[in-house]
Amino acid sequence: MTSHLKQNAQENQMPQASKLEIKVFDEQGIFPFREKVLSSKRVYEIHDETLRTPLEKAEVFEQLLKVPNKCELWIVPVTTETSTLTQSLKEERTSALFDLLASIKDKMQFDQTFLIVDDQCATNICSQLKELGYTFTEKTEEELQQVQVEF
């Protein structure tokens, strides 16, 4: 009976605030990284190139919200040529789907998702991203300066 009470108490606990701050950019034409000081930070572009269902993606994203270190998740809407997007995809089945789309549509709108972390916790965050199945690449400051909100 005691274990049931403990379990019930755990279920009724207030959820802890996430250490992941989420920012969405919706002002057309801005370059969000030109305003950001990135000294002692690392920036990763993250993708979920798996063929997970939307519910599975939501569950994995919920796990990402539980990162133990303070970091920022930036969502930047962009437009790019569909062929450029397919070349950047590493997952073969996902790339094949976008190849099919490229035959229909020249340009595509999508969200680029960036994770900004302090240098000292980058290794820990990267291992969590791998564990959750995300594909990620570290971005240089020069690459980030070119990111522009476009929809």
Side-chain angles (χ1 to χ4, degrees), residues 8-65:
N8 224 5
Q10 289 173 345
E11 289 173 2
N12 292 328
Q13 286 179 351
M14 293 294 292
Q16 292 182 349
S18 175
K19 293 186 179 183
L20 181 66
E21 182 182 340
I22 301 172
K23 294 183 180 182
V24 178
F25 294 85
D26 60 357
E27 188 179 331
Q28 177 79 347
I30 66 165
F31 293 85
F33 287 100
R34 291 187 181 173
E35 304 291 319
K36 180 76 174 170
V37 177
L38 296 173
S39 60
S40 74
K41 303 264 187 214
R42 293 191 187 189
V43 180
Y44 300 96
E45 183 176 5
I46 65 171
H47 306 275
D48 188 348
E49 295 177 2
T50 64
L51 293 176
R52 301 179 219 216
T53 66
L55 184 57
E56 290 169 330
K57 287 185 182 208
E59 288 172 355
V60 170
F61 186 76
E62 187 177 318
Q63 293 300 313
L64 184 61
L65 291 174

Side-chain angles (χ1 to χ4, degrees), residues 20-25 32-33 36 38 42-47 61 64 71-78 110-117 125 129 135-140 143-149:
L20 181 66
E21 182 182 340
I22 301 172
K23 294 183 180 182
V24 178
F25 294 85
F33 287 100
K36 180 76 174 170
L38 296 173
R42 293 191 187 189
V43 180
Y44 300 96
E45 183 176 5
I46 65 171
H47 306 275
F61 186 76
L64 184 61
C71 51
E72 297 177 46
L73 183 84
W74 285 17
I75 301 170
V76 182
V78 297
F110 70 101
D111 292 331
Q112 278 186 290
T113 307
F114 299 95
L115 194 61
I116 303 169
V117 301
I125 295 290
L129 290 172
T135 303
F136 59 95
T137 52
E138 187 169 1
K139 294 298 184 180
T140 66
E143 291 172 313
L144 295 169
Q145 296 300 315
Q146 301 305 313
V147 175
Q148 180 180 17
V149 175

